[in-house]
Amino acid sequence: MATEITPPPINDPEAAEAKATLETMLKAYPAKTARKRAKQLLVNDPETPPQIGANSRTTPGIITQRGCTYAGCRGVVIGPIHDILHITHGPIGCGYYSWLSRRNLVRPRHVDDTNYLQYAMSTDMMEEQIIFGGEKKLAQAIREAYEIFHPKAISIYSTCPVGLIGDDVHSVARDMKEELGINVFAFSCEGYKGVSQSAGHHIANNGVFKHMIGLNDEGDKAEFNINLLGEYNIGGDAWAIDDVLRKCGIHVTATLSGDVTYDQVCKAHTVDLNTVMCHRSINYMAEMMEKKFGIPWIKVNFVGAEATAKSLRKIAAFFQDKKLTDRVEEVIAQGNAELKPIRDEVTARCKGKKAALFVGGSRAHSYQHLFSDIGMETIAAGYEFAHRDDYEGRSVLPTIKVDADSRNIEEITVEQDPVRFKARKTPEQLQALAEEGFTFKDYSGMMSEMKKNTLIIDDISHHEIEKLVELRKPDIICSGIKDKFIIEKMGIPCKQLHSYDYSGPYTAFEGAANFYREIDRMLHTKVWSYVVPPWLKTAPVTTDATPE
Ligand code: CFM
């Protein structure tokens, strides 16, 4: 029996088709699983976004794209800070699989700059530590790492067994901080701690805020001084954004955490505005910095030409400075002029083609802008681990139920700093901004920017991807390494939107040009015509073929 997805559409064949696709996907599941999945498979309505069952546990047995809490903390948010040592406390596998697997690029500023990102450090827990405890081995590893590298700071990450046996990583960090005289801090980011890597982002935000933000009050001297939060420099994205901001005269003190140093993070609280790229991974930090130091935040997006222009204009509007506004307009005009011939050429070939995007907690939304730039429509999209607000918009935040899995993650209490809190705008300035229609924290989520009756699929499974390809035949799918080759064996190109398949950057005007060309190339290479998808193969499969 098919599970009910949405109320039956009245005289809307498009909605009926969308609903039928989702029902076909659900048919293979046992009734209980289908009921749960039905809350995560929706037909979109941009006017009144339907409620989605996001950030819930994946049913065991379903092949998910998700990662673990340790990955979100160590790998995503803190790992890219390149001049502190990152030590994984756990068996060697966790350290090994988080070694250089994310393309958060770094380039040294000076010849004597430190970059530890090519190292994988682990306490290499063995049976003995699992039985008798691993705190001594951890302390020893910290000492050893310090003696070899003399870093400015050391960060420790707990893996699953550490939480199970109860090692107190925080007290080890405190002792070592005292012994070595450098900043040492730890994260209880055991893989099982939350339903996905999203919990690790939250834990990381708390730790960065507690142990790094605010340590150095000597800020950079710049007229228009901002941070770029939630930008990790995958394939050089942060560099492309920084280039365009620099042309406008906007200074970035810290990018959290793409190509960033420990010192930059320590003075991040001195800026006047926080701009947030990836809302999912860093919204906690933006909120905490506002509360403690008075830094307001706005959502930005530098993926796509229109989005880049809109974000630059919004930053300029915040500073209420004519000079800056003029320069921003010049940069936008120049960027668009350079981009236009490429965009036109690619649009002529790609217009009308269909994309589907399943990635992370941010890009499934932002990359739709790049596709619409070249006349392509996104027919289905979904996040791996985002929450309801990333789909439905921040206005639903008060209605999100806190379940046992979210209660597991510490909510730190942040208070206004009695000395360092400084309102960045006077009430009059805020009034003027409001009159111009300027809004802070205005993230409206993915659904309101997608067409009516498009498919929204949260935490998509391999089975559902196969059905999507079979039934809706997208011309390209953006996803990750776990799906890439399954999709390509079905004759559909798959662009990896986590790692960018060795290329990038894809942000700002420069990145847009790169992406248009890449999609054009992938769509039009002849190789896909040689692939026969499994459902069109008629030859019987035999297992006893005699070799010639
Ligand atoms: Fe934010 Fe990211 Fe993403 Fe993310 Fe990620 Fe990533 Fe991502 Mo892979 S922080 S939510 S946990 S934009 S690693 S740089 S590509 S899943 S969509």
Side-chain angles (χ1 to χ4, degrees):
M1 187 51 202
T3 309
E4 198 64 16
I5 308 258
T6 43
I10 306 154
N11 295 333
D12 187 346
E14 228 181 54
E17 193 194 354
K19 190 168 173 266
T21 305
L22 298 181
E23 278 174 355
T24 311
M25 288 174 180
L26 293 176
K27 266 188 197 141
Y29 296 129
K32 199 173 155 203
T33 309
R35 266 199 305 280
K36 185 179 177 294
R37 285 300 295 148
K39 295 185 183 134
Q40 294 165 278
L41 274 65
L42 305 177
V43 179
N44 191 40
D45 182 354
E47 299 300 320
T48 42
Q51 183 173 324
I52 192 158
N55 192 30
S56 54
R57 291 186 190 193
T58 305
T59 305
I62 283 184
I63 304 177
T64 172
Q65 304 170 326
R66 284 175 165 174
C68 69
T69 300
Y70 159 79
C73 179
R74 189 257 179 265
V76 174
V77 177
I78 318 189
I81 306 173
H82 61 266
D83 58 351
I84 67 178
L85 280 187
H86 304 278
I87 302 180
T88 297
H89 186 33
I92 196 65
C94 306
Y96 178 78
Y97 286 107
S98 53
W99 180 30
L100 291 178
S101 52
R102 186 160 170 264
R103 293 183 67 229
N104 35 244
L105 308 184
V106 160
R107 88 186 142 201
R109 276 80 163 160
H110 318 285
V111 271
D112 52 352
D113 237 16
T114 311
N115 173 18
Y116 298 128
L117 289 198
Q118 55 282 60
Y119 294 98
M121 302 207 180
S122 164
T123 52
D124 188 18
M125 257 184 156
M126 296 286 184
E127 213 170 1
E128 192 190 323
Q129 284 83 48
I130 301 291
I131 296 163
F132 298 108
E135 292 175 12
K136 273 197 208 126
K137 197 171 187 189
L138 173 61
Q140 194 46 42
I142 298 171
R143 266 185 216 110
E144 194 184 320
Y146 179 74
E147 274 159 27
I148 300 169
F149 296 99
H150 291 96
K152 290 179 177 163
I154 294 178
S155 182
I156 319 296
Y157 307 90
S158 302
T159 57
C160 294
V162 171
L164 297 174
I165 64 173
D167 273 0
D168 186 350
V169 290
H170 304 283
S171 80
V172 175
R174 268 194 303 275
D175 292 350
M176 296 315 292
K177 186 175 178 174
E178 208 174 287
E179 184 182 315
L180 303 174
I182 60 160
N183 199 357
V184 183
F185 43 89
F187 294 89
S188 291
C189 56
E190 292 85 354
Y192 60 75
K193 202 79 187 244
V195 301
S196 71
Q197 55 266 63
S198 171
H201 301 152
H202 195 165
I203 294 166
N205 276 229
N206 290 348
V208 171
F209 193 76
K210 274 198 270 190
H211 299 293
M212 283 185 256
I213 300 282
L215 290 185
N216 179 6
D217 290 331
E218 278 302 303
D220 295 351
K221 302 261 170 298
E223 200 178 356
F224 310 114
N225 198 356
I226 67 168
N227 290 323
L228 186 57
L229 304 184
E231 168 47 59
Y232 302 91
N233 203 31
I234 309 298
D237 277 356
W239 296 332
I241 299 172
D242 201 44
D243 278 353
V244 89
L245 289 171
R246 225 164 337 108
K247 278 189 203 154
C248 298
I250 300 161
H251 174 75
V252 178
T253 287
T255 300
L256 262 72
S257 16
D259 192 16
V260 77
T261 63
Y262 175 72
D263 292 337
Q264 285 177 300
V265 179
C266 293
K267 62 186 175 185
H269 64 296
T270 59
V271 304
D272 291 321
L273 176 69
N274 272 328
T275 61
V276 174
M277 266 291 274
C278 167
H279 173 266
R280 180 66 270 133
S281 64
I282 211 128
N283 67 85
Y284 321 93
M285 177 70 73
E287 286 287 313
M288 291 188 287
M289 284 175 84
E290 175 161 29
K291 224 176 197 172
K292 185 163 179 183
F293 300 106
I295 308 169
W297 70 267
I298 57 169
K299 175 79 180 75
V300 290
N301 174 26
F302 288 95
V303 180
E306 317 277 331
T308 299
K310 198 171 151 202
S311 299
L312 289 175
R313 287 188 179 120
K314 182 137 192 181
I315 297 171
F318 170 82
F319 284 107
Q320 299 166 301
D321 182 279
K322 171 87 171 68
K323 207 167 67 251
L324 177 63
T325 309
D326 291 347
R327 222 164 24 219
V328 158
E329 288 307 325
E330 279 166 34
V331 170
I332 293 171
Q334 193 197 346
N336 278 330
E338 283 167 15
L339 195 59
K340 192 171 182 305
I342 305 163
R343 185 170 165 172
D344 289 348
E345 189 196 325
V346 173
T347 305
R349 280 193 293 267
C350 297
K351 200 169 190 291
K353 298 228 183 270
K354 298 174 292 183
L357 284 74
F358 301 103
V359 58
S362 172
R363 294 185 178 175
H365 177 191
S366 52
Y367 274 74
Q368 295 186 31
H369 296 269
L370 276 172
F371 283 109
S372 61
D373 281 358
I374 51 171
M376 287 179 62
E377 191 195 335
T378 301
I379 58 160
Y383 298 120
E384 282 167 54
F385 51 74
H387 300 198
R388 276 186 58 204
D389 47 317
D390 304 295
Y391 285 102
E392 302 168 48
R394 279 182 71 81
S395 58
V396 302
L397 273 179
T399 67
I400 295 181
K401 272 201 220 103
V402 181
D403 60 10
D405 286 315
S406 345
R407 250 192 298 274
N408 219 3
I409 314 302
E410 186 193 10
E411 277 289 344
I412 57 177
T413 319
V414 177
E415 274 162 21
Q416 189 169 318
D417 191 297
V419 181
R420 294 181 294 174
F421 180 93
K422 187 181 94 206
R424 270 33 182 203
K425 292 279 175 192
T426 62
E428 294 74 37
Q429 286 171 324
L430 285 176
Q431 177 68 26
L433 280 173
E435 277 162 19
E436 282 161 27
F438 190 99
T439 47
F440 293 95
K441 313 180 186 194
D442 57 342
Y443 183 45
S444 56
M446 178 204 276
M447 286 167 163
S448 67
E449 291 189 2
M450 280 185 76
K451 270 198 178 160
K452 195 168 166 56
N453 295 331
T454 47
L455 305 176
I456 307 282
I457 305 175
D458 181 58
D459 186 20
I460 197 168
S461 69
H462 273 184
H463 160 71
E464 290 152 10
I465 283 192
E466 282 180 23
K467 285 285 159 210
L468 181 84
V469 171
E470 190 184 327
L471 299 170
R472 303 305 286 269
K473 304 201 171 38
D475 297 291
I476 191 163
I477 295 183
C478 294
S479 188
I481 190 70
K482 292 171 194 157
D483 319 297
K484 182 178 174 79
F485 300 105
I486 291 166
I487 293 166
E488 296 199 332
K489 280 176 188 169
M490 292 189 276
I492 308 281
C494 178
K495 176 73 198 161
Q496 289 197 74
L497 268 200
H498 300 264
S499 68
Y500 299 161
D501 294 306
Y502 332 106
S503 78
Y506 292 148
T507 46
F509 301 103
E510 170 198 352
N514 291 340
F515 194 78
Y516 302 158
R517 287 203 186 98
E518 175 79 347
I519 294 304
D520 187 20
R521 184 187 65 79
M522 289 183 81
L523 282 173
H524 295 104
T525 171
K526 266 185 132 177
V527 72
W528 309 117
S529 62
Y530 302 125
V531 183
V532 182
W535 59 89
L536 290 182
K537 280 186 184 153
T538 47
V541 181
T542 58
T543 50
D544 57 352
T546 318
E548 292 294 312

